[in-house]
Amino acid sequence: MASSTLLLCTTKTPSSNSLTNLSFFSKPSCLFVHGKRNQEHFKVSCCMGEHNEKMNFDRRDLLLGLGGLYGAANLAPLASASDKLTDEPIPAPSLKTCSTAYIEGNIPVPYSCCPPPLPDGMAMDDVPYYEVPECSQLRVRTAAQVVDQDFIDDYNDAISIMKNLDASDPRSFQQQANIHCAYCNGAYTTVGGKDLQVHFNWLFFPFHRWYLYFYERILGSLIGESTFALPYWNWDNPDGMYFPSMFNQPNTYPDLYDTNRSVNTQNGTFMDLNYVNTEAQTATQSQLLPSGDCSTSGFGTIENMPHTPVHLWTGTNPGTKLSNGNTSYGEDMGNFYSASIDPVFSGHHANVDRMWNIWKSFGGKRVDLTQTDWLESAFFFYDEDCNPWRVKVQDCLDTVKMGYCYAPMATPWVSYKPQKKTTKGKLDPSSVMAAESIFPLSKLDKAISFSIKRPATSRSQQEKDEKEEILKFKGIKHDNKEYLRFDVFLNADKTVNTDELDKIEYAGSYTSLPHAHNASHEFVPRVFNLAITELLEDNKLEDDATIVVTVVPKKGCQVLSIQSVNIELLDC
Ligand code: C2O
């Protein structure tokens, strides 16, 4: 039994959709690591099948998703020693210090996001470290668009039971949603008196993996199904780039439905992975609030794109009225404090989690970090029997060991390369200012181009396999109150149009969802890393000692400052 289930997860199963005529499934690792992709592989115009009528829309959305994932090197939470605030692992948060969480700025969440107290007499240090139990049969997480009716019935029942548990029960729906709020909106304090924050840094993947792990086990135990597995929202595949319909049937599946959503989730709207919320007000300098991030800073592209735009695309528009009469702060998915109140949150994060596995399957330098301060970092959860546990990052690196896997679907983006060039030929680095004379940059209120020196040129394939070239923005500070985004290009003109990002020069985007920090905690600026080895090759810049970088503000960047930028080689 167990082996056949395993097989299901490890066999490459080209999807039955219109993309099967493309040879995406052959050796993605070679394609990426060696940069020898067949440029003819991806012809959107002839493979969109039934979506053809939406061609323009599809193109932009699909390619942006791909753009965000472009250069699979960017999938990982890249971090290097210089990004660290501390060399200590981040310990599981102490429930004792759990206090108010904030919606944004100094607006408190109107209820406590802290977990139920430990059993009588138990101190935080007594909470045991979790050992993943042996399992005989894997839970197989399946794409939301292909699960069957029986599954959806079970899933809705499980959430329904969860919603009916007493609010003080750690397994209850409200308590499960509170976990995300507490870890993301400033309820916990960690090393050095800073806010514990599991976004924007290398805790992003492991925190959300452990979160889903317990959430899934709780749901399974509530319906007595030991192999119950969450569905994943397959937004990296054209067939899954809609709001999954099981979450949108208030009459049939009321417990999977959520009222606080944007109209984007209705009527089979094709997803916009380039989504920028245009109605949210623009922050002004006076809205700048102190904030603090903790732990190791420096986050990978997958968190920026498409993770954050999917949140934003799903949640209500900030400033609009919610059904309860309150003014929206992006609820539910568009603000971290409320994101996991929407049942689709787990489907979204299951796909993010799947990306981590896919990234590792490319092999080569796509391996997990080995720093002890990451491996030993820990979180706190209650399990399906209400037992409290501390869990370590090092124990969540292998999902099969954890007892679950992902049923494969097509991954067209793996071998996709944008074709469109916005720039003719090579820009002359001496025609723009040098990075040293532009940074520190006090505000990103207009597009800037600058020249920047590379630490090495004409690197051999072996050197590239050993070290990834990273374009690193350091000391990014901004308001946390609204969505913001800037886009980065190599060898592109300042006038580059960012409504469509499927361009050969596109390197990636920095994004931030509104979230809050405890105003009394120290502000920690962010680091943003972009892996550019492949991009340099594609733009024929590998032999150039100095290159032109262009940064284009897309949303909310009037209040964003950047301390410095450089290019470095990161050990893989
Ligand atoms: Cu913790 Cu997608 O957010």
Side-chain angles (χ1 to χ4, degrees):
M1 282 314 285
S3 62
S4 72
T5 316
L6 249 164
L7 200 63
L8 177 59
C9 280
T10 49
T11 307
K12 286 196 187 258
T13 311
S15 107
S16 57
N17 68 29
S18 46
L19 290 164
T20 36
N21 55 336
L22 304 166
S23 39
F24 289 138
F25 311 101
S26 59
K27 300 244 252 162
S29 54
C30 298
L31 294 171
F32 261 97
V33 173
H34 304 300
K36 291 199 188 86
R37 283 130 304 210
N38 178 347
Q39 302 282 321
E40 302 305 309
H41 275 175
F42 198 82
K43 289 207 181 98
V44 175
S45 57
C46 61
C47 64
M48 295 310 293
E50 57 186 311
H51 309 322
N52 259 342
E53 72 286 354
K54 293 185 205 152
M55 260 315 295
N56 290 331
F57 207 37
D58 287 1
R59 250 188 87 67
R60 188 191 66 190
D61 293 341
L62 179 58
L63 301 190
L64 192 277
L66 300 165
L69 303 169
Y70 169 59
N74 276 329
L75 282 176
L78 295 161
S80 65
S82 60
D83 300 340
K84 292 186 205 169
L85 295 175
T86 157
D87 283 331
E88 296 168 62
I90 301 296
S94 164
L95 305 200
K96 266 206 197 130
T97 66
C98 190
S99 62
T100 312
Y102 292 85
I103 296 177
E104 61 166 46
N106 52 10
I107 300 164
V109 176
Y111 49 85
S112 168
C113 288
C114 300
L118 293 173
D120 269 352
M122 192 185 257
M124 201 60 216
D125 287 346
D126 302 333
V127 176
Y129 281 102
Y130 187 73
E131 269 177 54
V132 173
E134 292 277 323
C135 79
S136 52
Q137 213 182 339
L138 288 175
R139 300 166 190 263
V140 182
R141 296 186 183 170
T142 308
Q145 74 273 20
V146 299
V147 296
D148 61 22
Q149 197 82 33
D150 286 350
F151 172 83
I152 309 175
D153 289 339
D154 281 356
Y155 185 28
N156 187 73
D157 284 353
I159 300 269
S160 166
I161 298 171
M162 195 181 229
K163 285 183 174 170
N164 285 321
L165 291 174
D166 192 88
S168 64
D169 187 317
R171 300 168 305 167
S172 69
F173 191 79
Q174 183 62 48
Q175 291 294 343
Q176 289 295 306
N178 286 353
I179 295 172
H180 192 257
C181 167
Y183 276 93
C184 317
N185 289 66
Y188 290 125
T189 309
T190 188
V191 184
K194 305 200 169 80
D195 268 4
L196 177 56
Q197 172 56 260
V198 293
H199 300 88
F200 324 113
N201 61 51
W202 67 5
L203 299 179
F204 177 72
F205 280 104
F207 168 80
H208 291 88
R209 174 166 287 180
W210 275 121
Y211 175 81
L212 294 188
Y213 174 86
F214 288 109
Y215 182 77
E216 179 174 77
R217 294 177 70 90
I218 293 169
L219 288 172
S221 93
L222 293 176
I223 51 169
E225 283 279 351
S226 63
T227 54
F228 172 82
L230 293 164
Y232 63 87
W233 183 355
N234 188 199
W235 37 244
D236 59 312
N237 172 349
D239 282 2
M241 293 181 76
Y242 301 86
F243 195 74
S245 69
M246 74 175 91
F247 295 99
N248 212 6
Q249 300 181 43
N251 298 322
T252 325
Y253 302 118
D255 293 294
L256 300 179
Y257 185 70
D258 183 31
T259 46
N260 290 338
R261 286 179 185 155
S262 128
V263 290
N264 295 330
T265 61
Q266 304 290 322
N267 308 323
T269 307
F270 202 75
M271 285 177 78
D272 184 357
L273 297 177
N274 186 10
Y275 189 68
V276 177
N277 186 329
T278 47
E279 278 156 53
Q281 311 114 355
T282 303
T284 59
Q285 197 68 35
S286 63
Q287 290 175 294
L288 262 175
L289 289 156
S291 66
D293 289 337
C294 86
S295 69
T296 297
S297 171
F299 57 132
T301 299
I302 183 86
E303 184 178 353
N304 279 291
M305 294 275 217
H307 162 257
T308 302
V310 172
H311 272 280
L312 204 70
W313 183 87
T314 307
T316 53
N317 242 339
T320 56
K321 280 267 174 284
L322 297 177
S323 54
N324 67 4
N326 291 349
T327 302
S328 165
Y329 290 105
E331 289 91 345
D332 283 323
M333 276 283 277
N335 190 308
F336 287 144
Y337 95 89
S338 54
S340 44
I341 295 172
D342 191 327
V344 84
F345 175 88
S346 60
H348 176 35
H349 270 278
N351 207 37
V352 170
D353 188 63
R354 174 176 160 260
M355 292 296 136
W356 185 7
N357 277 5
I358 291 177
W359 176 79
K360 282 200 280 189
S361 76
F362 296 152
K365 44 194 173 179
R366 281 73 170 164
V367 291
D368 283 321
L369 302 162
T370 52
Q371 288 98 321
T372 324
D373 43 346
W374 186 62
L375 296 171
E376 290 284 329
S377 284
F379 312 104
F380 170 83
F381 288 98
Y382 285 101
D383 71 7
E384 65 276 17
D385 298 318
C386 304
N387 296 315
W389 296 102
R390 286 186 281 177
V391 297
K392 288 189 177 176
V393 168
Q394 66 186 24
D395 294 323
C396 77
L397 305 182
D398 181 341
T399 56
V400 169
K401 264 195 203 141
M402 292 176 87
Y404 74 92
C405 64
Y406 289 95
M409 287 304 266
T411 50
W413 51 272
V414 168
S415 54
Y416 167 73
K417 283 296 203 180
Q419 305 292 307
K420 244 193 256 164
K421 273 188 82 52
T422 81
T423 316
K424 285 201 197 80
K426 223 174 262 183
L427 295 180
D428 175 7
S430 68
S431 67
V432 294
M433 302 245 277
E436 301 85 70
S437 38
I438 292 205
F439 295 88
L441 183 76
S442 61
K443 56 178 174 187
L444 185 62
D445 55 351
K446 54 177 187 305
I448 51 164
S449 287
F450 54 87
S451 65
I452 187 163
K453 290 200 190 65
R454 295 173 56 214
T457 57
S458 314
R459 298 198 297 144
S460 68
Q461 189 57 52
Q462 193 191 339
E463 287 169 318
K464 289 176 188 170
D465 288 346
E466 281 164 8
K467 284 176 199 266
E468 181 67 51
E469 189 157 344
I470 304 286
L471 175 63
K472 182 185 283 281
F473 294 85
K474 288 188 196 162
I476 302 176
K477 289 194 190 181
H478 54 75
D479 187 10
N480 290 311
K481 286 184 71 164
E482 66 160 335
Y483 181 62
L484 61 78
R485 178 180 125 197
F486 64 79
D487 304 320
V488 182
F489 298 83
L490 302 189
N491 194 54
D493 198 78
K494 277 195 286 204
T495 56
V496 55
N497 174 359
T498 56
D499 290 342
E500 294 185 3
L501 292 174
D502 56 319
K503 300 179 164 69
I504 195 164
E505 299 91 350
Y506 174 58
S509 300
Y510 176 95
T511 66
S512 180
L513 209 61
H515 63 286
H517 295 283
N518 190 325
S520 64
H521 294 171
E522 189 193 331
F523 176 88
V524 179
R526 291 191 198 144
V527 176
F528 175 47
N529 295 314
L530 281 167
I532 57 169
T533 305
E534 267 183 64
L535 197 65
L536 289 161
E537 289 173 11
D538 295 347
N539 284 281
K540 308 204 169 25
L541 298 167
E542 179 51 37
D543 299 330
D544 296 21
T546 305
I547 57 169
V548 175
V549 173
T550 294
V551 179
V552 187
K554 185 68 176 172
K555 174 82 189 152
C557 294
Q558 300 86 343
V559 291
L560 180 138
S561 63
I562 304 173
Q563 184 63 27
S564 65
V565 59
N566 72 320
I567 297 181
E568 51 190 64
L569 298 174
L570 180 72
D571 278 318
C572 299

